[in-house]
Amino acid sequence: MTEKYRADIDGLRAVAVILVVVYHAFPRAMSGGFIGVDVFFVISGYLITGIVLSGINSSSFSIREFYARRARRILPALATVLLAALAIGWVAMLPLPFHNLGLHAIAGALFFPNLLLLNEVGYFDAAAETKPLLHLWSLGVEEQFYLVWPLLLLGLKKIPKWSTVGLIFVAIVSFLYCCYATRYHAATAFYSPISRLWELAIGGFLATAKFPATKRSDFMSLAGIVLIVAGGFFLKRSNAFPGPAALIPVTGAALVIIFGSRILRQKWIVSIGLISYPLYLWHWPLLTFAALAGFVSVPAKLAVIVSSLVLAALTTAFIERPIRFGWLRPSSVAVSLSLMASVLVLSTAVWGDDGVFARFPEQIRPVLAVMEYNPALGGRVLKCWLELTTSFESYRPECSEGSTLVWGDSHAGRLYAGLAALKQSTSEIAQFTRDSCPPSALEGGAACAVSNRAILAKIAELKPKRVILFAVWTSYPEYKGLNAENAMSSSLAEILRQLKTEVGEVILVGAPPLWTPDLPIQVYDFWRSNGQLPDRLPPRTENYQSINMGLARMAAETGVRFVSPFAVLCNEAGCLTHTASSRTELLTWDYGHLTIEGAEFIGRLMRIE
């Protein structure tokens, strides 16, 4: 319960940050390196609890001074990295990702990035690799811990008999919640401070307990290091985490803290530990920006790691030390808060101005605006367009209303939006669409199959005038090998036969062209290289022709009508990127989900009266 310096704790920090950096750069080489964050949590709980209890026991603890120390420790380096990220984003990012960067910078400055990221989790969430400030989620958890932990310790010290028991109780309750959430709400378990509190509380407990010296201390601390490193190599993202698996790095860190480690006191590893905080801050934005620029080779990633080490050392020497220990110490809190205030001003300006479209010429701005397209626009999301695992009973009553019924995955949800716009009515079209669920799987107990069986029964009950089936067929394994020869063995063929006995007209919509990267990005890249907007571009490589031939045979054999967007949109020169109205009115806003204008274009092919 003292603040006596332990070099091996900095060595343990070095192990943690090395795991994280190597994992982010080379995930195949260090598949479980993400557990370095859990090691950081235990260290933070141990150190902060020691600082607070030392002050309480000497009657010198001050909440104000505690948060002043946190500000001096955390804000200068964080503000530096956030300002650098905003500067790079201004030069290198398109409006939508720059807009998102501004929001994430605000969250990072106000210490709620974990809660923001949890709120963003969903079907249309951007990939982690496109979020330069994603790693700040762990800092958010720690800062939220700092808000409540001193108050909890102050309360427990008023009932000394219950101090240690109270910490153990907090850890147990949090751990049990973590295990539950990991199983049933994985994203919440990962980002929630409640599900991570037990890791920090374990560190806090270690700061309150006394452990007898033992001749086996070296062995036990080595076992802790081995446990952490082994977890770094053998755990995987596919493992349920944090949950019980987080006991591996937490136990390893606890063993090192309890027994000490001569290995981790070596100067070279301690020197990495001393810059571990700025190194953690710098490495992920640099890796992300490098990847966005196309630098993803092993030498490029090694160069980024070296750059991160250099920047971390410079940040420590010229920003952190002068503010914490040097000539800026007298005004350190004011300087720290001023730096963060500047971050908030700039990031709010970026976010509020939608990523600052004014950086780009007017000709390309409408295309860039498509990147910010609202995927839910006109699609009756969470009403008639459900998430994959949502029960069939969650479809609203209005989903059954209409003489035309649209059935399919999220792409069918976007098609509905265009058909409704053409009809100028939402009451004429019934809709049963679901993320990642093509209208074919019937067997088994999976959510998609259960829903599809219920939709077939609903169609038999409603007997609509027509049914339209649509999905991005090329994305589903069961259709990747589809061709004219094997088409009639598909479960979709049986569904078409069944529908034909229930419905007057059945329309099967074929595989549309898809885009990698997203269509607005490809159009922007073409414009940047050629000075004009494209008419056609080559689509993502997929087995379009064979799959559409298989779908066409199914339609012919079962007496339903087949409509092929690919045949209409694409030729040897590529696929149309836009409607007839304007080259800036794109057909899709991402890799293949239709805009309303694009869905209207496809809808007209169906000649629905």
Side-chain angles (χ1 to χ4, degrees):
M1 292 188 290
T2 68
E3 296 182 53
K4 180 180 178 181
Y5 176 69
R6 285 182 54 179
D8 61 325
I9 296 295
D10 275 324
L12 186 58
R13 280 179 168 143
V15 172
V17 78
I18 289 170
L19 286 174
V20 173
V21 171
V22 174
Y23 165 68
H24 282 155
F26 308 106
R28 292 184 180 179
M30 184 70 73
S31 62
F34 53 83
I35 66 171
V37 170
D38 302 271
V39 175
F40 276 128
F41 287 157
V42 178
I43 294 172
S44 293
Y46 173 74
L47 293 176
I48 294 304
T49 303
I51 290 170
V52 173
L53 291 182
S54 177
I56 291 174
N57 292 335
S58 64
S59 300
S60 62
F61 180 72
S62 162
I63 287 286
R64 180 177 179 179
E65 179 56 27
F66 173 80
Y67 289 120
R69 290 181 63 164
R70 293 298 87 207
R72 286 191 290 266
R73 175 72 178 99
I74 293 168
L75 299 187
L78 176 60
T80 301
V81 172
L82 291 176
L83 289 170
L86 290 169
I88 297 172
W90 177 277
V91 175
M93 293 183 117
L94 297 175
L96 176 60
F98 194 42
H99 166 84
N100 292 337
L101 180 69
L103 179 58
H104 286 198
I106 293 171
L110 297 178
F111 302 113
F112 65 93
N114 54 320
L115 304 180
L116 174 63
L117 290 164
L118 177 58
N119 185 63
E120 290 179 345
V121 170
Y123 186 75
F124 291 109
D125 187 19
E129 293 77 10
T130 66
K131 297 180 177 181
L133 302 179
L134 176 73
H135 64 318
L136 297 186
W137 74 266
S138 62
L139 196 60
V141 170
E142 289 201 22
E143 287 303 314
Q144 290 149 24
F145 168 77
Y146 297 152
L147 287 176
V148 301
W149 199 247
L151 302 177
L152 176 64
L153 293 177
L154 283 169
L156 289 175
K157 287 304 289 184
K158 293 179 180 179
I159 44 174
K161 292 182 180 179
W162 295 97
S163 295
T164 301
V165 175
L167 293 181
I168 294 173
F169 176 76
V170 168
I172 291 173
V173 171
S174 172
F175 178 70
L176 292 175
Y177 172 76
C178 176
C179 294
Y180 166 81
T182 298
R183 181 170 182 177
Y184 296 105
H185 307 283
T188 300
F190 192 86
Y191 289 119
S192 171
I194 300 174
S195 57
R196 297 288 188 163
L197 180 59
W198 69 275
E199 302 178 59
L200 294 130
I202 290 292
F205 168 73
L206 298 179
T208 68
K210 294 182 179 180
F211 298 93
T214 172
K215 294 180 180 179
R216 309 189 72 177
S217 293
D218 287 345
F219 172 79
M220 296 301 291
S221 64
L222 179 60
I225 297 170
V226 169
L227 199 59
I228 294 169
V229 174
F233 277 107
F234 297 112
L235 286 174
K236 294 179 173 60
R237 290 179 64 178
S238 57
N239 297 127
F241 201 88
L247 286 168
I248 294 172
V250 169
T251 302
L255 288 173
V256 173
I257 291 172
I258 292 169
F259 296 103
S261 173
R262 287 189 288 181
I263 295 174
L264 296 182
R265 294 191 198 113
Q266 297 181 62
K267 286 185 177 181
W268 71 271
I269 195 165
V270 171
S271 65
I272 295 176
L274 290 170
I275 63 170
S276 60
Y277 174 55
L279 177 57
Y280 181 81
L281 293 177
W282 277 112
H283 84 282
W284 180 249
L286 294 183
L287 283 170
T288 303
F289 284 123
L292 291 174
F295 299 109
V296 293
S297 66
V298 171
K301 290 182 177 180
L302 290 173
V304 170
I305 291 175
V306 172
S307 300
S308 301
L309 284 165
V310 172
L311 286 170
L314 292 173
T315 302
T316 299
F318 296 107
I319 295 173
E320 289 192 299
R321 285 179 183 163
I323 291 175
R324 295 179 65 196
F325 310 113
W327 62 280
L328 286 172
R329 170 75 183 194
S331 55
S332 56
V333 174
V335 170
S336 300
L337 292 175
S338 296
L339 284 170
M340 198 53 72
S342 66
V343 170
L344 282 170
V345 169
L346 292 174
S347 55
T348 301
V350 169
W351 176 59
D353 197 23
D354 289 329
V356 195
F357 275 82
R359 294 177 295 145
F360 299 90
E362 288 189 14
Q363 182 189 24
I364 198 63
R365 290 179 195 173
V367 170
L368 299 177
V370 177
M371 295 179 63
E372 300 191 19
Y373 199 83
N374 177 9
L377 186 63
R380 299 200 288 194
V381 172
L382 301 182
K383 295 179 181 179
C384 307
W385 171 0
L386 303 182
E387 295 178 343
L388 175 60
T389 57
T390 305
S391 68
F392 176 82
E393 289 71 25
S394 297
Y395 282 110
R396 300 286 183 86
E398 61 264 32
C399 304
S400 302
E401 298 173 359
S403 59
T404 295
L405 186 147
V406 176
W407 177 14
D409 60 9
S410 61
H411 295 261
R414 292 303 316 152
L415 178 62
Y416 161 82
L419 294 177
L422 282 174
K423 289 283 189 180
Q424 296 184 339
S425 170
T426 59
S427 62
E428 295 187 35
I429 304 176
Q431 175 192 5
F432 291 95
T433 55
R434 181 179 294 267
D435 292 340
S436 304
C437 182
S440 55
L442 293 176
E443 301 299 324
C448 181
V450 171
S451 178
N452 282 338
R453 291 196 294 269
I455 291 170
L456 270 177
K458 178 62 74 171
I459 291 172
E461 173 192 333
L462 296 173
K463 298 191 182 303
K465 179 180 178 182
R466 70 173 61 82
V467 172
I468 299 170
L469 297 92
F470 181 44
V472 60
W473 310 104
T474 51
S475 294
Y476 298 105
E478 60 265 39
Y479 292 102
K480 286 188 176 292
L482 185 69
N483 54 51
E485 285 70 34
N486 63 21
M488 299 315 296
S489 62
S490 168
S491 60
L492 179 59
E494 181 57 36
I495 288 174
L496 294 175
R497 288 193 190 96
Q498 184 174 340
L499 286 175
K500 193 60 180 173
T501 66
E502 306 282 353
V503 181
E505 181 183 21
V506 179
I507 301 175
L508 178 62
V509 182
L514 303 179
W515 310 93
T516 300
D518 292 351
L519 180 59
I521 296 176
Q522 288 202 49
V523 171
Y524 169 76
D525 288 341
F526 183 94
W527 169 84
R528 187 176 59 178
S529 300
N530 299 277
Q532 60 182 357
L533 294 170
D535 182 44
R536 296 175 180 271
L537 287 173
R540 177 200 298 179
T541 301
E542 296 283 358
N543 196 18
Y544 301 107
Q545 297 288 4
S546 177
I547 292 172
N548 279 326
M549 288 176 65
L551 294 172
R553 186 191 171 193
M554 280 188 221
E557 295 277 348
T558 57
V560 310
R561 185 149 67 92
F562 178 66
V563 174
S564 174
F566 189 87
V568 175
L569 298 175
C570 305
N571 59 28
E572 293 181 356
C575 296
L576 277 174
T577 62
H578 57 88
T579 69
S581 300
S582 170
R583 291 195 177 191
T584 63
E585 195 172 76
L586 302 188
L587 296 175
T588 72
W589 56 269
D590 64 352
Y591 72 91
H593 289 94
L594 296 166
T595 60
I596 285 184
E597 294 78 15
E600 288 178 340
F601 185 90
I602 301 300
R604 291 189 184 95
L605 300 178
M606 300 178 194
R607 303 186 304 278
I608 297 174
E609 298 178 357

